[in-house]
Amino acid sequence: MLELKANSEDINTYSNFQEIVQKEVELDVSIDFDNKSMFGTVKTKYEIINQSLENIILDLHGPEISNVCLINEDYEKVDLDCIIYDKNKDKEALGTPLVINLLSLKEKDNKEYENVFNKKEIMISIEFKTNENCNGIQYLTKEQTRTKEYPFMFTQCEAILCRTLFPIQDTPSVKSIYKVKTSISPPLSFLFGGILKSHYYDSASKKKINCYEQNIPIPSYLVAFVAGELEYAKISKRCGVWTEKGLASLAAKEFIDAEKYIEIAENYLNHPYEWKVYNILVLPFSFPFGGMENPNLTFVTPALLAGDRSMSNVIGHEISHSWTGNLVTNKNWKNFWVNEGFTKFMERKLDKILLGEEMSKLESIVGNNSLISAIKMYGEDSYFTSLSPDFSGIDPDDGFSTVPYEKGYQFLCYLEERVGEDNFKEIMGKYIEKYKYKSVDWTDFKSVYEEYVNNKYEGRNARKILNVIDWNKWVTEKGFPSYKMEFKSKYTEEVDDLINKFINKDNIENAKKIFKEWHTNVKLVFLEKILKNLENFNESIILEIKKELNLVEEYNDDVKAIWYEITLEKGMKEEIENIMNFLKTHGRLKYLKPLYISWIKLDFNNAKTFFDENKIVYHPIARRIIQNKFDSMKK
């Protein structure tokens, strides 16, 4: 009897990529908005590693499958037997893999059997159709869009949701090139995260056809589609922005620094931007993250359209992923920090050059505050507070937090302190050059670091540096980092001064002016300090802060979200109506998780009623994560 187990190299996939590995993926896809379905054909070219191979095992979670065929040398289709395996105990998290039986060719006495195993490569064709249970796709009705004229669709494949689109080796250990053809009826656009090679109108089908190529190998979690009424604006020669109709000009102004970020990153890493085109796509509010680094088509939340470029560090982060994550990729989700910690480090290097050292330091303080909050939320003994979490049998999204970002960032700052900024910059460049197009774990960076130090310094001096670094402790230890990084900024004194003015009710008439002139990051430090020290603020002080600073009218959503968290933690139910309006129009998990957690603690029943009535507007990822919070905190 067939028994499937998760892959030992990546426990979140069932695919047997050590025996047969996908190299090229061709997709021909269309959209059926009425039935909320994406359908088409996926043709995959595989390299055979094990000549005794019996099955091809592909990850799958939801799509309907038909017509599984081998394509022979004459481009003829040869039917293959297959099953959707639903006996695995972790199917709710990891899905029900598609098992394609190659031995069925032999059992049918098919002449192709001998041919398959005399070759190094084979091509398999599969027809698929998604349905409403496929959580990697969200469909929005026309009423949920900006113009309210046409429906909208977008995908989110990180971490393990590409398998909800079509059968694939859904693991970052495998990187493939893609050719994609999309079809849709005008005036809608249907985009893929790659380079547009051609487009035309097919008069027979009355469809608009786009043909894309992604010739740099990417992992499956970077596959990205979007369909809807979209418009485009140019930012620079290689940068642009897609938005819903009516927002492109505004977004182009907001993200004007995209080209600068790319140039700074190229210079820091001494490595060119290899993806040629950098386009940003501003999604509707239900997108659950700040950004998603899909190559050639970075997805971002509309919450970034603050009007003053104060949230542009998110663009810096996603651009940095072009090297750390997309070019050099974590080989499994246990090594997620190898993507996010490195990218957070790069983001702040870019901001140091673009916005100044003090602002970069302040971002580190904001990040450290979010790390403290995340560790307290999970508990210091939780695997999710380690840089090497255990995701056995669960969806890695369940452990999503700032820990891999900020704890990973602090580890890299620690490593940089040991050798100095200039030397560490060289190490980063050598790391990218050595492992580009590959999937790695943290020990690969360790080898580059140690090789550099041994070559740079004499034996004794090299040992003095390397012997004090406990790599395993940093990576595997749960809870707070044992080595406490000190982040200081001149802005913290300004924050403390304004807080003391409110506590002492002393000379607060200029508070509004001071607060208004601050950068968003300074405002966040101010509010986070209040949140962490709520025992020092009675309700009258909180109301005075609200009155003087006009926090409900504040245009920046990061600021609003922390303010609402403060009022919930303080039990100020008079702010609930504003909070409900905010939660109805914001789907970013960064806002949803802390606000729902605080509301649940204050008033479980009303929070649950509101969530049940409004959860349809959230992305499936967000719905599941917030529902899990209700289940775990149920009284």
Side-chain angles (χ1 to χ4, degrees), residues 280-304:
I280 301 164
L281 173 75
V282 181
L283 285 167
F285 78 81
S286 61
F287 181 56
F289 305 113
M292 179 62 215
E293 63 272 15
N294 308 308
N296 307 119
L297 198 63
T298 283
F299 287 2
V300 299
T301 171
L304 301 191

Side-chain angles (χ1 to χ4, degrees), residues 135-138 154-161 221-223 255 280-294 298-305 311 314-315 317-318 321 333 336 340 378 395-402 404-405 557-558 585-593 617-626:
N135 286 343
I137 309 181
Q138 184 173 23
F154 67 92
T155 63
Q156 170 59 32
C157 289
E158 192 179 39
I160 58 170
L161 291 173
Y221 75 81
L222 292 177
V223 168
F255 305 136
I280 301 164
L281 173 75
V282 181
L283 285 167
F285 78 81
S286 61
F287 181 56
F289 305 113
M292 179 62 215
E293 63 272 15
N294 308 308
T298 283
F299 287 2
V300 299
T301 171
L304 301 191
L305 302 179
M311 311 274 276
V314 175
I315 298 301
H317 183 92
E318 304 310 331
H321 268 304
W333 300 108
F336 187 45
E340 297 300 350
Y378 282 121
D395 189 325
D397 279 330
D398 290 344
F400 179 83
S401 76
T402 61
Y405 296 73
D557 288 333
D558 274 18
T585 55
H586 292 76
R588 190 179 180 187
L589 275 165
K590 178 181 178 180
Y591 307 148
L592 298 185
K593 281 172 68 175
V617 304
Y618 300 143
H619 190 277
I621 292 174
R623 288 202 297 266
R624 181 173 57 79
I625 289 174
I626 301 303

Side-chain angles (χ1 to χ4, degrees), residues 331-344:
K331 73 190 301 183
N332 51 41
W333 300 108
K334 194 180 185 71
N335 278 278
F336 187 45
W337 82 273
V338 174
N339 272 18
E340 297 300 350
F342 280 72
T343 302
K344 183 60 71 174

Side-chain angles (χ1 to χ4, degrees), residues 266-440:
E266 288 178 316
N267 179 264
Y268 180 85
L269 293 168
N270 193 29
H271 194 101
Y273 177 77
E274 296 198 26
W275 307 88
K276 297 181 181 178
V277 173
Y278 184 77
N279 285 327
I280 301 164
L281 173 75
V282 181
L283 285 167
F285 78 81
S286 61
F287 181 56
F289 305 113
M292 179 62 215
E293 63 272 15
N294 308 308
N296 307 119
L297 198 63
T298 283
F299 287 2
V300 299
T301 171
L304 301 191
L305 302 179
D308 62 353
R309 288 184 274 167
S310 60
M311 311 274 276
S312 63
N313 63 311
V314 175
I315 298 301
H317 183 92
E318 304 310 331
I319 284 172
S320 297
H321 268 304
S322 303
W323 291 268
T324 52
N326 297 5
L327 212 55
V328 180
T329 305
N330 58 296
K331 73 190 301 183
N332 51 41
W333 300 108
K334 194 180 185 71
N335 278 278
F336 187 45
W337 82 273
V338 174
N339 272 18
E340 297 300 350
F342 280 72
T343 302
K344 183 60 71 174
F345 182 87
M346 280 297 301
E347 171 198 332
R348 290 183 181 142
K349 286 296 181 186
L350 270 54
D351 279 345
K352 180 179 178 181
I353 295 169
L354 195 62
L355 303 176
E357 185 171 7
E358 288 299 322
M359 191 54 63
S360 178
K361 289 178 180 177
L362 195 70
E363 289 176 0
S364 298
I365 293 170
V366 173
N368 189 55
N369 289 340
S370 68
L371 175 63
I372 292 169
S373 297
I375 292 174
K376 286 182 177 179
M377 180 185 72
Y378 282 121
E380 292 184 48
D381 199 43
S382 169
Y383 274 116
F384 294 155
T385 65
S386 164
L387 289 181
S388 185
D390 183 3
F391 290 130
S392 301
I394 66 172
D395 189 325
D397 279 330
D398 290 344
F400 179 83
S401 76
T402 61
V403 170
Y405 296 73
E406 299 297 344
K407 197 172 185 180
Y409 165 73
Q410 292 190 18
F411 183 25
L412 294 178
C413 288
Y414 171 82
L415 293 172
E416 183 184 53
E417 281 188 355
R418 310 281 77 75
V419 296
E421 287 190 51
D422 290 341
N423 289 332
F424 196 75
K425 177 181 174 182
E426 283 192 51
I427 292 170
M428 289 286 285
K430 290 179 180 295
Y431 168 66
I432 297 298
E433 181 60 33
K434 182 173 182 179
Y435 290 110
K436 63 182 180 180
Y437 317 134
K438 297 177 181 177
S439 299
V440 301

Side-chain angles (χ1 to χ4, degrees), residues 56-161:
I56 303 174
I57 305 170
L58 303 178
D59 292 302
L60 185 72
H61 198 173
E64 300 162 24
I65 299 301
S66 61
N67 198 19
V68 179
C69 302
L70 169 74
I71 300 179
N72 66 18
E73 289 181 338
D74 299 320
Y75 293 96
E76 299 170 332
K77 292 184 176 181
V78 181
D79 290 341
L80 291 168
D81 290 347
C82 64
I83 62 167
I84 294 178
Y85 189 85
D86 63 356
K87 306 299 183 186
N88 53 303
K89 63 181 177 63
D90 300 320
K91 61 184 177 182
E92 184 175 340
L94 305 185
T96 52
L98 179 68
V99 182
I100 302 171
N101 183 2
L102 295 178
L103 289 180
S104 63
L105 291 170
K106 182 177 183 180
E107 293 164 2
K108 295 175 182 177
D109 199 26
N110 191 297
K111 64 179 181 179
E112 296 296 337
Y113 176 74
E114 295 297 332
N115 290 338
V116 166
F117 296 98
N118 289 329
K119 297 176 184 176
K120 293 183 178 179
E121 294 182 340
I122 61 171
M123 179 174 281
I124 303 295
S125 173
I126 302 171
E127 293 181 10
F128 66 91
K129 182 172 71 172
T130 69
N131 52 54
E132 292 188 63
N133 296 319
C134 298
N135 286 343
I137 309 181
Q138 184 173 23
Y139 292 90
L140 305 177
T141 64
K142 63 182 181 179
E143 290 78 17
Q144 292 174 295
T145 65
R146 188 173 186 273
T147 65
K148 306 189 185 310
E149 292 185 10
Y150 298 97
F152 199 96
M153 179 280 293
F154 67 92
T155 63
Q156 170 59 32
C157 289
E158 192 179 39
I160 58 170
L161 291 173

Side-chain angles (χ1 to χ4, degrees), residues 521-560:
N521 285 331
V522 188
K523 296 175 182 177
L524 294 176
V525 171
F526 173 80
L527 292 171
E528 284 169 348
K529 190 148 192 177
I530 294 173
L531 182 62
K532 287 199 302 181
N533 299 279
L534 271 179
E535 68 277 4
N536 297 329
F537 300 86
N538 57 42
E539 188 169 328
S540 67
I541 297 176
I542 298 296
L543 289 173
E544 188 73 18
I545 290 172
K546 174 186 176 182
K547 174 187 170 185
E548 291 297 325
L549 303 185
N550 283 340
L551 287 170
V552 176
E553 288 76 32
E554 166 71 34
Y555 54 78
N556 190 289
D557 288 333
D558 274 18
V559 173
K560 277 185 180 178

